[in-house]
Every structure is written in structure tokens, then in C-alpha cells.
Amino acid sequence: MKKLTRLEKYHMNKVSQRSNGKVVAITPEAMEIEQRAIEREKRGHYRVAARLWLQCMDVASGEVERARIAIRRQQCITWSNHTRQGEYSGIGCRGVVYD
């Protein structure tokens, strides 16, 4: 394993969390899980993607990396709450319910 220089350590810990880069994870294990999570997001499986982001966070090493993963996971959770559409005409509906 390569020792990090002072400048590399600085950039690992102080990089902005608001960057819109496509790469969220840095460690190789986290990058593999990240690719699976992104594929699930493209399919619209946001809850599964949020679980994969959580696994990715477990494998991640730096605090900045974990923070970026947490932001992405929160976005998936938010998107998953908006995907369900349709009407429910069951208990508690105001209109007429037909059997």
C-alpha cells in the first residue's frame, strides 16, 4: 500500500462535498458497489440503490467519501418516496367504495 503524501491527505480530507463529479467513492471495494448502485438508480430501483449505498458507506475509508455517499443515499431515499403513483380507494377514502 502506497503512503500518501501530505498534499494527497489534504485533498482527501478537505475536498468539497458539493462537487458534481460522477465518481463518489474512492476505495476500490466501494467503487464496485457504487457501480451496482448507479445501475439500480438508472432502472428506477431507488430503495435497493439506497441499500447498496449503505453497503458502500461501510466499505468507505475517508470521512469525505462517506459524506458524499450519505448525500447520494439520501437522494435515493427521496426519489423512492416519489415513485409510487396511483389512487387508493380502500379504508378511509371519502368517495364510494365498490366491492
Side-chain angles (χ1 to χ4, degrees):
M1 184 173 179
K2 177 186 162 191
K3 280 193 151 185
L4 297 175
T5 64
R6 207 170 183 191
L7 183 64
E8 289 172 336
K9 287 180 187 177
Y10 173 78
H11 284 292
M12 260 180 68
N13 294 325
K14 304 295 181 186
V15 76
S16 175
Q17 295 180 12
R18 297 182 189 174
S19 65
N20 291 332
K22 293 186 177 185
V23 177
V24 176
I26 299 171
T27 54
E29 297 88 7
M31 290 176 79
E32 292 175 13
I33 299 171
E34 175 190 9
Q35 292 301 320
R36 292 191 332 208
I38 291 172
E39 288 175 20
R40 290 297 188 157
E41 286 178 6
K42 288 179 183 176
R43 292 183 197 166
H45 303 153
Y46 296 113
R47 292 180 190 232
V48 176
R51 182 186 57 83
L52 287 171
W53 283 116
L54 188 62
Q55 288 178 349
C56 187
M57 192 183 305
D58 289 339
V59 177
S61 62
E63 290 298 318
V64 175
E65 183 180 11
R66 286 190 182 116
R68 286 187 295 204
I69 292 169
I71 291 169
R72 191 66 181 262
R73 180 174 184 263
Q74 186 61 41
Q75 288 175 352
C76 284
I77 291 170
T78 304
W79 291 332
S80 72
N81 291 334
H82 297 289
T83 57
R84 194 164 174 261
Q85 296 176 357
E87 294 183 15
Y88 177 70
S89 62
I91 300 171
C93 78
R94 294 182 174 178
V96 179
V97 178
Y98 298 102
D99 290 333

